[in-house]
Amino acid sequence: MKKNYNLAKWLNDEMTPEELVQFKASSDFEEYEKIKNYTAHLKVTDFNENRVLENVLSHKKTAPKVIPLYKNWMFRVAAVLVLALGVTFTIQNFSTETQYASNGQRTTFSLPDNSEVVLNSGTEIEYKKWGWNNHRNLKLKGEAYFKVAKGKKFEVETNLGKIAVLGTQFNVKARKNRFDITCFEGRVKVNYKDKEIILTHGQSVSFENGNQINSGTSVQKPEWLENQIAFNKENLQNILDEIQRQYNITIDVKTESPNEELFTGKIPTDNLDIAIEIIATTYHLEPKKINSNKIIFEGK
């Protein structure tokens, strides 16, 4: 530090004679003197403060707006989330809702108004959640039991007819060209072709090939919910079709003269051996079990 102080005094000619003698006697003096002699020939232009200020102001630029990388990343994530939520909302509310019960299975679900629906084996139903309060409509393929919430109403459409309901419990079955409706509580309005029928508690109606069959029931809910299939004047093929759906099996009939007798009665859906025995006895057929999934009936 003292060495730098003495160098400064020497360069500014501020040393006393005694200090100058001591400084020249130092080992670094020769180097210092060479540097002083060299820099003496250098010239520095005068510093103009006003000109420098004007130059800075004339070149002033607006600082660019910088978005930190992490904020850019957050914006991208937010955009993706908004898009995903929008797509999910559209799918859940505007698209058609489909419920299905495959062969050998049943499906229970609730409608937007809390009405309960149970689908029998091999049944499909479609409806739209969006605008349900203004458009209460379901499309049914197969058989279903409806337990309508109190004070609620909707329509059930099938390829054979339409049912309008109001606070009731009823069963609808539409298979091939046969249409069966049973009212267990309240009332339902059935539209079949050019006919309109009102069913009340305990009443049933069936349509097949244009023919109407009226009947009644004393049970409180469909027999298939209790593992039984109830048939009312149905042919052999309809019965076999239903057994195949309930047990998820294949049944073939090999006989020269098919029995056209109509069957009225019940067949279990939880005991295949008994179901096969009832068919064999009623229609005088000989059952042969090929494997666990296939049965052949032959004429005796």
Side-chain angles (χ1 to χ4, degrees):
M1 179 65 71
K2 184 178 180 181
K3 181 184 295 186
N4 293 337
Y5 176 71
N6 289 334
L7 176 60
K9 290 182 71 177
W10 175 66
L11 291 173
N12 292 322
D13 294 327
E14 295 176 353
M15 281 187 169
T16 63
E18 292 80 7
E19 291 175 337
L20 182 59
V21 171
Q22 292 180 2
F23 184 70
K24 288 182 178 182
S26 67
S27 59
D28 297 324
F29 177 73
E30 186 176 353
E31 289 293 328
Y32 292 153
E33 191 172 35
K34 290 180 180 180
I35 295 172
K36 183 178 181 181
N37 292 333
Y38 174 75
T39 56
H41 296 87
L42 298 176
K43 293 182 179 182
V44 180
T45 57
D46 295 334
F47 180 73
N48 191 323
E49 295 180 354
N50 293 330
R51 183 176 296 175
V52 172
L53 179 59
E54 290 176 0
N55 189 50
V56 171
L57 292 176
S58 65
H59 290 83
K60 185 178 180 181
K61 296 182 179 180
T62 303
K65 187 176 181 181
V66 179
I67 300 177
L69 183 60
Y70 76 92
K71 287 188 177 181
N72 187 44
W73 176 80
M74 290 176 64
F75 291 152
R76 290 173 179 269
V77 172
V80 171
L81 289 176
V82 170
L83 180 61
L85 290 174
V87 172
T88 301
F89 178 82
T90 301
I91 292 175
Q92 291 181 345
N93 293 283
F94 290 93
S95 62
T96 300
E97 181 80 9
T98 302
Q99 296 287 344
Y100 182 75
S102 57
N103 289 346
Q105 303 293 325
R106 293 175 188 165
T107 299
T108 301
F109 67 97
S110 295
L111 294 172
D113 61 8
N114 293 320
S115 296
E116 183 179 293
V117 183
V118 185
L119 304 183
N120 202 350
S121 300
T123 298
E124 179 181 310
I125 200 167
E126 293 182 353
Y127 66 97
K128 290 184 178 180
K129 289 183 178 180
W130 182 257
W132 172 257
N133 290 331
N134 299 319
H135 186 67
R136 298 167 175 266
N137 181 271
L138 303 99
K139 293 183 178 180
L140 173 68
K141 297 178 182 179
E143 182 174 14
Y145 169 66
F146 297 85
K147 188 174 182 180
V148 185
K150 186 176 181 180
K152 304 301 180 180
K153 61 181 180 179
F154 52 79
E155 289 185 346
V156 180
E157 292 184 8
T158 74
N159 63 323
L160 297 174
K162 182 172 63 176
I163 303 94
V165 301
L166 174 60
T168 187
Q169 298 181 36
F170 65 102
N171 191 80
V172 180
K173 182 179 181 180
R175 306 280 195 193
K176 292 185 176 180
N177 59 350
R178 183 168 176 116
F179 191 32
D180 299 273
I181 308 94
T182 301
C183 181
F184 296 97
E185 183 181 295
R187 65 175 189 168
V188 296
K189 181 173 67 175
V190 181
N191 290 97
Y192 176 78
K193 295 184 177 180
D194 59 345
K195 297 180 180 180
E196 182 176 291
I197 300 173
I198 302 295
L199 298 180
T200 59
H201 170 71
Q203 292 184 328
S204 296
V205 65
S206 300
F207 299 95
E208 187 171 16
N209 297 324
N211 298 318
Q212 180 177 331
I213 305 171
N214 295 322
S215 60
T217 181
S218 59
V219 299
Q220 301 301 312
K221 55 185 176 181
E223 287 87 345
W224 59 266
L225 293 176
E226 301 295 335
N227 298 318
Q228 288 187 326
I229 318 169
F231 297 99
N232 180 32
K233 299 180 180 180
E234 294 203 43
N235 60 48
L236 176 60
Q237 190 56 57
N238 286 350
I239 297 170
L240 294 180
D241 288 344
E242 193 62 45
I243 292 176
Q244 290 179 98
R245 278 188 287 268
Q246 295 297 327
Y247 290 98
N248 194 23
I249 60 174
T250 299
I251 299 177
D252 289 334
V253 178
K254 295 182 178 181
T255 178
E256 293 181 359
S257 55
N259 194 322
E260 299 297 334
E261 181 181 352
L262 299 180
F263 176 80
T264 297
K266 298 178 181 180
I267 294 178
T269 61
D270 56 356
N271 192 318
L272 180 58
D273 291 336
I274 293 179
I276 294 303
E277 184 61 31
I278 292 175
I279 297 300
T281 301
T282 302
Y283 289 94
H284 309 289
L285 298 172
E286 186 70 34
K288 290 185 178 180
K289 195 170 185 179
I290 306 303
N291 53 50
S292 59
N293 296 317
K294 185 171 183 178
I295 295 173
I296 292 178
F297 282 108
E298 295 180 344
K300 290 184 177 181

